[in-house]
Amino acid sequence: MKRDLLILTTDKPGHYKSYGELCRSLRGRGEVLPSAPLSTIFACKKLVLIDGDSRHLLLFPVVVLRALMGRSTVFLSVRTEDFLESRIKSRIKKTLVRLLIRFHRVKFISIHYPSFNIYEGKLVSRCIYDPQLWDLPFIDQSVDFPPELQVSPGYLLVLGTLNDKRCKDELIDALPELTEIDIVFAGKMSEEDECKITRFKNIVSINRYVSDAEILGLYKRAGAVYAFYDASVMRPSGIFGRAIQNNCPVIVRSGGYLDDQYGHFAKTISISAISDLKHILKSSDIGFLGLDGCETFDHSEILRSYL
């Protein structure tokens, strides 16, 4: 049986499944799958490819044939910045996308709004705000609290895999100066890093996969969220976006991508170095907050129009 709408995600770590579920919610129907046979991909009436700037570009021949048969395909790109690199792989991807968007039935949507708006019609069809800045009204908002969370509301939340892109070494080195506030690390980390952070009594370590419901619970009780990335990271952050939706102050790198794109909005706090956290966390502006005054970045109707 021919599917009306097929939404392909991926088994890679990240927010891909969440984006797929969002597309189904916005369209009101559709099947979300991590993979499907080529015959199914070719035959469906409309196809949405969530890993649009990576693995799903391998479907280039199938997408071209679909376009020639009058069948629509939408690519969603979460790492469009890769196209601007000089690597051969990046140049090949960019060439494929430029060829694809020449077809009326193929659209390429980037979540790099507004930084990639200048490439609309050239490298992407349209840019939208990262859905994780506005998606909560359209997806399951079940809330749960990790059993390890035995601290009062108002903590600094460090969410996600602890790695070099999150400036982990700089953060760990700063912990001796951050003992006056509870800090919750939630997400996978090495045993070595966990040993380093749990030496301090104000640290809560949730070193495991954290469910979507638990993540929302962690945001609900956070006083501030850590979204300080290495300067080389030039893309939106789901951690940042969900913090904004939950009205949490967010710590970002001064002059970094998030600061450049969203630094003028309320709740975004820019620092030059993690050592500055000690002074920021003592500020009266940081604390347990309600939902009044949330910023809105809602591009749901734009994305819906392409589905």
Side-chain angles (χ1 to χ4, degrees):
M1 182 177 68
K2 181 187 295 186
R3 290 170 169 82
D4 176 51
L5 173 63
L6 175 62
I7 304 166
L8 284 187
T9 59
T10 176
D11 57 1
K12 296 195 304 186
H15 307 294
Y16 298 98
K17 184 179 179 180
S18 176
Y19 290 137
E21 296 294 343
L22 171 65
C23 289
R24 177 168 61 184
S25 174
L26 290 175
R27 193 71 175 91
R29 60 180 185 272
E31 187 172 8
V32 181
L33 297 173
S35 61
L38 283 178
S39 57
T40 301
I41 294 171
F42 178 74
C44 65
K45 184 177 179 180
K46 172 155 276 188
L47 176 65
V48 178
L49 301 172
I50 302 297
D51 193 13
D53 47 56
S54 187
R55 293 180 185 176
H56 287 158
L57 281 176
L58 295 174
L59 293 171
F60 177 89
V62 177
V63 172
V64 170
L65 288 175
R66 283 176 50 81
L68 294 174
M69 296 288 290
R71 297 169 187 163
S72 300
T73 302
V74 177
F75 289 82
L76 186 67
S77 172
V78 302
R79 296 194 173 186
T80 324
E81 78 281 358
D82 287 351
F83 296 159
L84 302 184
E85 295 185 9
S86 60
R87 297 176 303 163
I88 293 178
K89 185 178 180 180
S90 297
R91 284 185 281 177
I92 291 173
K93 287 182 180 181
K94 182 164 60 176
T95 300
L96 291 177
V97 171
R98 282 177 168 166
L99 291 172
L100 284 169
I101 62 175
R102 292 183 179 182
F103 292 91
H104 175 68
R105 295 286 183 178
V106 180
K107 304 299 180 183
F108 197 89
I109 312 300
S110 169
I111 68 170
H112 288 52
Y113 182 98
S115 62
F116 260 66
N117 290 3
I118 59 173
Y119 297 105
E120 288 187 346
K122 304 171 185 176
L123 187 55
V124 300
S125 304
R126 188 70 184 266
C127 293
I128 61 172
Y129 274 126
D130 179 4
Q132 299 220 2
L133 283 161
W134 52 263
D135 63 354
L136 288 182
F138 305 98
I139 62 175
D140 181 16
Q141 293 191 53
S142 300
V143 174
D144 195 7
F145 297 99
E148 301 95 330
L149 189 65
Q150 301 295 321
V151 293
S152 300
Y155 48 79
L156 172 65
L157 176 60
V158 182
L159 182 64
T161 303
L162 191 62
N163 54 30
D164 291 339
K165 289 184 178 180
R166 309 290 307 284
C167 301
K168 69 166 187 172
D169 291 336
E170 188 179 348
L171 177 58
I172 291 173
D173 288 344
L175 291 181
E177 302 296 323
L178 302 174
T179 56
E180 296 181 17
I181 184 173
D182 290 323
I183 304 177
V184 176
F185 286 80
K188 292 185 177 181
M189 70 184 80
S190 69
E191 292 184 4
E192 179 183 358
D193 287 337
E194 185 172 33
C195 288
K196 290 178 180 178
I197 69 171
T198 52
R199 292 180 297 136
F200 303 96
K201 294 181 179 180
N202 63 314
I203 303 294
V204 175
S205 174
I206 308 174
N207 187 7
R208 60 174 174 83
Y209 168 79
V210 183
S211 70
D212 289 343
E214 288 178 317
I215 289 173
L216 286 180
L218 288 165
Y219 279 124
K220 297 297 183 186
R221 294 181 177 175
V225 176
Y226 177 91
F228 188 93
Y229 292 90
D230 184 79
S232 64
V233 177
M234 300 296 292
R235 61 174 176 269
S237 161
I239 292 169
F240 174 90
R242 288 287 171 81
I244 291 293
Q245 287 196 77
N246 284 282
N247 204 32
C248 291
V250 197
I251 310 297
V252 303
R253 176 185 289 275
S254 179
Y257 179 88
L258 296 176
D259 185 35
D260 288 344
Q261 303 303 314
Y262 313 111
H264 55 295
F265 290 105
K267 310 303 180 189
T268 303
I269 301 170
S270 304
I271 60 175
S272 299
I274 293 179
S275 57
D276 297 336
L277 272 175
K278 179 179 180 179
H279 309 290
I280 291 294
L281 294 176
K282 289 182 178 180
S283 168
S284 59
D285 294 332
I286 303 297
F288 188 53
L289 301 167
L291 290 178
D292 294 336
C294 284
E295 297 289 348
T296 178
F297 301 85
D298 187 2
H299 275 178
S300 57
E301 290 305 316
I302 297 176
L303 181 56
R304 194 198 310 270
S305 70
Y306 285 93
L307 300 175

